[in-house]
Amino acid sequence: QSVLTQPPSASGTPGQRVTISCSGRSSNIASNTVNWYQQLPGTAPKLLIYSNTQRPSGVPDRFSGSKSGTSASLAINGLQSEDEADYYCAAWDDSLSGVVFGGGTKLTVL
Amino acid sequence: QVQLVESGGGVVQPGRSLRLSCVASGFTFNDYGMHWVRQAPGKGLEWVAVVSYDGSHKFYADSVKGRFTFSRDNSKNTLYLQMNSLRAEDTAVYYCAKGDTTGYQGYFDYWGQGTLVTVSS
């Protein structure tokens, strides 16, 4: 059971907009910034969004993040086949004194 | 460019020990906190531990506290994860990851390729 809650799966067709939610609590998401990681099949995770809304250089602007209270969301506009991957949210948890992850969302491009 | 290269994984019996290493290059190693994150086969990501830039602060996941010890040698740009009393549930790919700050919070901006640890009799 992960501390942060994500839907296990999401899907969309090419060109569509998809959102992935991440729900936490006052000790993690509400108190600290949320980061998102993308893991393509068979590869190491990669930073996708940091500090709630920021994109590292090289990440397409189709990807965006937001946060409100104890929840955060990742949005992907103009879905592409290469976006098919697992997506994880993460944040520092003040009560646990550690980083907590969501269980991951497997995105399928139909 | 930033590189993180893990090593030391393998097959080990329950109750035994293993030490993982991670060699870093391409950045000023002693300016950043560093983390270990693991992923059991077919499962999600689980944070394991963090060490601050100078090794003065360390935090561990409850699942490994008291069994794992995270250390760093800034003169060698190397991290070490000493894993004792290993259990079947410790079976995972172990990734080292670079933090974005000197401390222990923040995000992981670079990841290694991982090293597989299998705990089995």
Side-chain angles (χ1 to χ4, degrees), chain B residues 22-39:
Chain B
C22 173
V23 178
S25 61
F27 64 101
T28 306
F29 182 69
N30 56 13
D31 275 353
Y32 294 94
M34 299 293 295
H35 300 252
W36 286 97
V37 177
R38 69 184 181 182
Q39 186 170 34

Side-chain angles (χ1 to χ4, degrees), chain A residues 66-102:
Chain A
S66 64
K67 187 184 99 167
S68 178
T70 58
S71 294
S73 288
L74 173 70
I76 309 172
N77 289 306
L79 197 62
Q80 298 183 4
S81 58
E82 58 260 39
D83 299 335
E84 193 159 280
D86 293 324
Y87 293 85
Y88 296 89
C89 60
W92 181 263
D93 190 297
D94 294 331
S95 296
L96 297 173
S97 294
V99 176
V100 291
F101 280 97

